Amino acid sequence: QVQLVESGGRLVQAGGSLRLSCTASGRTFSTYGMAWFRRAPGKEREFVASINWSGRSTYYADSVKGRFTISRDNAKSTVYLQMNSVKPEDTAVYYCAAAAGGYTGTYQNQYDYWGQGTQVTVSS
């Protein structure tokens, strides 16, 4: 069983930056595909970004491309989401997800493990 724990969510002003972290338990983190999703108030949970096991391949939703960067440190079993130039529409609960088979797509049901989420609020 893998546990994912997110941190770093907070209140931030529009145009500001913050970094989310997700630390995983277990010994096989380096083989997982990892992703960030988010759920805004009143909306469905949506894909934000993903990264393959080596960190060499990354994927982004169009809404965050050029502003957010996903990265990972396999030695620390941690994946990060650097959020720059944030907008009020980025306000959401952000979830970390892990795919044991290395999946890095946008389908939520392909991810095996989920964190509890961390709240990001962007004020205008």
Side-chain angles (χ1 to χ4, degrees):
Q1 187 72 11
V2 173
Q3 291 187 328
L4 303 175
V5 179
E6 302 100 333
S7 62
R10 59 179 175 89
L11 174 64
V12 60
Q13 286 192 327
S17 298
L18 73 165
R19 188 176 77 161
L20 305 183
S21 300
C22 171
T23 300
S25 64
R27 301 180 181 179
T28 55
F29 173 83
S30 62
T31 66
Y32 295 158
M34 299 297 297
W36 288 95
F37 287 78
R38 67 185 181 186
R39 179 183 281 129
K43 295 188 177 181
E44 299 285 323
R45 189 162 59 184
E46 65 177 3
F47 172 82
V48 175
S50 62
I51 188 167
N52 79 330
W53 66 274
S54 68
R56 294 192 180 99
S57 296
T58 57
Y59 309 91
Y60 298 93
D62 288 343
S63 58
V64 307
K65 202 171 293 183
R67 300 188 298 121
F68 291 9
T69 301
I70 188 170
S71 62
R72 67 190 295 161
D73 184 338
N74 287 340
K76 296 182 178 180
S77 297
T78 300
V79 62
Y80 305 98
L81 185 69
Q82 178 66 42
M83 305 170 62
N84 297 331
S85 303
V86 294
K87 305 174 181 179
E89 50 263 45
D90 294 322
T91 294
V93 177
Y94 283 73
Y95 298 91
C96 175
Y103 180 77
T104 53
T106 63
Y107 293 107
Q108 297 181 45
N109 60 7
Q110 296 298 306
Y111 290 89
D112 303 289
Y113 307 103
W114 292 84
Q116 294 299 307
T118 186
Q119 176 71 48
V120 172
T121 303
V122 182
S123 64
S124 56

